Amino acid sequence: MLKAVLMTSRPPFLVLAFSCISLIVATGFWLGAEISALLIIAMALLLFFAHISVNALNEAEDFVSGLDLITTKTPFSGGTGTLPNKPEALKGVWILGITSLVFATVIGLFLVALTDWYLILLGVLGIIIIVTYTRWINRMPWLCLLAPGIGLAVIPIFGGVWVMTGQPLLAALLISLIPALLINNLLLLNQFPDRDADRKIGRKTMLVAYGYEFSSKLYLLNWILAVFLLGLFVWNATLPRAASLTIFPMLFGFGAWRGAVNYPRELPEHTAYMAANVACAVLSPLALALLLFLFSS
């Protein structure tokens, strides 16, 4: 039972939280912050608990709505399949999701008390996204598109650098937009196999609202914008010149887009494109973080 409950946290996907915390610390370091082990550990725990919470609550709500029973499962989408096989674990999954959210909130309040009470506004926004994502945000296509990047990149990176430096820095907010766009694409492509199932339970994702062709074009637009911002921030010295090397892991996103164009309805049979999508979203922030560490003065 415990193993089943823990599996709903989707452990393989928690690597994205590690990627984001790496970029938080690296961005703060690049912008002149001193490294504090206490702050790094606290921020890492907050991000991991928040990610576990949204994953577990999503699994529980997808099972209750019946979505879990009709989705096409892939290694990257459609849920873990844990609750359809072990429905008695549902209560434990709810407890995991709520408890993780409480832990994240307590850690967030600790960081707010150490830094600036205005940070609580970011925390409240994060909690709202976690609690409402599955049930309400997924019924609003444009908000559904933007929420993942805001929750997993903009809030953590902007807020985390604020904690590290003691002040809200525009540079941190701007840098956070690059991984935010790639994370938005991560969730967008993962919704391709779920289009019909999402429609049946009343969701209104970009795929349901606008279809495969529009969504694939939107994926490409997000990717191009992320590449453009990387180049712009290198050009105006918001990022070091070496950060331009981040383009190499970002190229996985272009490959994923080709899959969206060529196999929009058959993506579950061509999971290499979905893997490329994950590689782009996870490796690009990691690469950028490493480059910021290496070339920070």
Side-chain angles (χ1 to χ4, degrees):
M1 180 69 73
L2 179 60
K3 181 180 178 181
V5 170
L6 293 178
M7 283 301 296
T8 63
S9 69
R10 303 175 189 174
F13 291 90
L14 296 180
V15 68
L16 181 59
F18 173 77
S19 179
C20 289
I21 190 64
S22 300
L23 187 54
I24 292 169
V25 178
T27 302
F29 189 53
W30 164 249
L31 296 176
E34 294 185 5
I35 299 297
S36 165
L38 174 63
L39 293 182
I40 292 172
I41 292 172
M43 289 189 296
L45 288 174
L46 189 159
L47 201 53
F48 275 105
F49 279 126
H51 204 164
I52 289 171
S53 177
V54 73
N55 286 348
L57 293 176
N58 180 258
E59 286 271 329
E61 292 190 28
D62 283 353
F63 177 70
V64 172
S65 70
L67 181 66
D68 253 359
L69 303 176
I70 58 176
T71 51
T72 300
K73 300 289 187 288
T74 77
F76 311 100
S77 66
T80 65
T82 298
L83 289 175
N85 295 323
K86 204 172 185 65
E88 62 271 23
L90 178 61
K91 182 179 179 180
V93 176
W94 282 117
I95 292 173
L96 174 64
I98 295 170
T99 302
S100 297
L101 181 58
V102 170
F103 285 159
T105 302
V106 170
I107 296 170
L109 289 173
F110 167 73
L111 292 173
V112 164
L114 287 181
T115 311
D116 189 332
W117 282 100
Y118 284 111
L119 271 167
I120 203 166
L121 298 176
L122 291 179
V124 170
L125 178 58
I127 291 172
I128 290 173
I129 291 174
I130 291 173
V131 172
T132 64
Y133 181 76
T134 303
R135 188 170 300 181
W136 289 291
I137 290 179
N138 275 321
R139 298 176 186 272
M140 296 174 278
W142 288 99
L143 191 56
C144 178
L145 172 72
L146 298 174
I150 294 172
L152 287 169
V154 175
I155 292 175
I157 295 171
F158 179 54
V161 173
W162 191 343
V163 168
M164 293 179 67
T165 63
Q167 54 187 323
L169 298 178
L170 177 61
L173 179 61
L174 294 175
I175 292 169
S176 74
L177 297 178
I178 298 173
L181 288 162
L182 302 180
I183 291 171
N184 288 343
N185 271 356
L186 174 65
L187 275 293
L188 177 62
L189 192 71
N190 284 349
Q191 290 167 356
F192 272 59
D194 297 336
R195 181 194 180 193
D196 293 337
D198 284 340
R199 178 188 286 129
K200 287 180 181 178
I201 69 157
R203 284 188 179 177
K204 199 172 183 182
T205 63
M206 296 303 298
L207 271 298
V208 173
Y210 299 105
Y212 293 110
E213 183 178 357
F214 180 87
S215 298
S216 63
K217 289 178 180 177
L218 184 59
Y219 184 102
L220 180 62
L221 178 62
N222 281 342
W223 184 82
I224 290 174
L225 184 55
V227 172
F228 170 78
L229 289 178
L230 176 67
L232 176 64
F233 298 157
V234 169
W235 175 76
N236 68 13
T238 300
L239 292 170
R241 290 183 180 179
S244 58
L245 296 174
T246 307
I247 187 62
F248 290 106
M250 290 175 73
L251 290 175
F252 282 111
F254 185 79
W257 168 72
R258 295 299 302 166
V261 171
N262 294 326
Y263 308 104
R265 294 173 176 79
E266 299 84 23
L267 268 182
E269 302 167 20
H270 301 274
T271 55
Y273 294 106
M274 301 183 76
N277 186 40
V278 173
C280 178
V282 172
L283 296 181
S284 298
L286 276 177
L288 181 55
L290 178 60
L291 292 163
L292 289 178
F293 275 125
L294 290 176
F295 293 93
S296 293
S297 57

